[in-house]
Amino acid sequence: MSPDRRTAVAAGALFLLTEAAAIAGAVLYRPLLGAADGRLAQGADTRALLGVLCEVVLVAAVAGTGATLFPVLRRHGEGLALGYAFGRLLEAAIIALGIVAVLALITLRRDAGAADGADVALAAFHHWAFLLGPNIALGLNTVLLAYLAYHARLVPRFIAVLGLVGGPLICASAVAVMFGAYAQLSVPGSAAALPVFAWELGLAGWLIVRGLGPGSGAAPRADREVADPAGVRP
């Protein structure tokens, strides 16, 4: 297996891991974040701690995608490749802040003498961290990677276009949530996230099954176009 093929498989696996960990964390957190009376329902703290573990995995996988793809992406624009790698680190750091808020919230809701309103503030902190990290930062990172993938023909263009559409869409949706147009976990919010979800699944599947396209190599662009003028071979 060539180095680029190993890179493709590793990156694809990490993208799949980000999706699985993000969904699992959101499902496991819900009883804790939605507690109306400020007290934990039976088993909610255990579920939330499992959600924390899922999001720790998510942080590692998000940062890992940027580090894994950097050697390939830098051949097609070192500045953009660095932007993507550091953007994924920023996204991971924001998610980590949300994890700390959830852990503090678990502690407060276990304590009968916790200050009124502190738990609400921590839930709000997690909400904003989730909006800024896996929405706005994710959207910007998606645009960077999709642009590089489209320009260098690393994957079929229809997959790259999903990212180019989905990145701005999820950012716009996050701004709409900020201004109260609708709730983050709502039908419009979920619909706006679907293109990015499809992009990451499509990208992961292609990287694992087929690898990176001819643009991943260091050969001159003109040589690549002569060898494959139509783009990535199916």
Side-chain angles (χ1 to χ4, degrees), residues 147-157 212-216 221 224-225 228-232:
Y147 171 78
L148 283 166
Y150 184 93
H151 178 71
R153 300 180 181 180
L154 299 177
V155 296
R157 293 216 163 155
L212 293 159
S216 63
R221 180 180 177 85
R224 294 198 307 267
E225 289 178 350
D228 186 15
V232 176

Side-chain angles (χ1 to χ4, degrees), residues 72-167:
V72 173
L73 299 180
R74 71 183 298 182
R75 303 170 193 162
H76 309 284
E78 189 163 3
L80 290 176
L82 280 171
Y84 180 71
F86 282 107
R88 290 299 265 181
L89 282 175
L90 175 62
E91 182 182 341
I94 296 172
I95 295 170
L97 288 175
I99 292 173
V100 173
V102 168
L103 290 171
L105 183 56
I106 291 171
T107 300
L108 278 179
R109 287 188 172 170
R110 282 175 171 173
D111 182 4
D116 291 341
D119 55 346
V120 176
L122 286 169
F125 185 94
H126 178 269
H127 167 82
W128 286 109
F130 187 79
L131 192 68
L132 293 174
N135 284 266
I136 291 179
L138 171 63
L140 296 175
N141 290 331
T142 295
V143 171
L144 278 176
L145 180 56
Y147 171 78
L148 283 166
Y150 184 93
H151 178 71
R153 300 180 181 180
L154 299 177
V155 296
R157 293 216 163 155
F158 76 90
I159 295 179
V161 167
L162 276 174
L164 290 172
V165 171

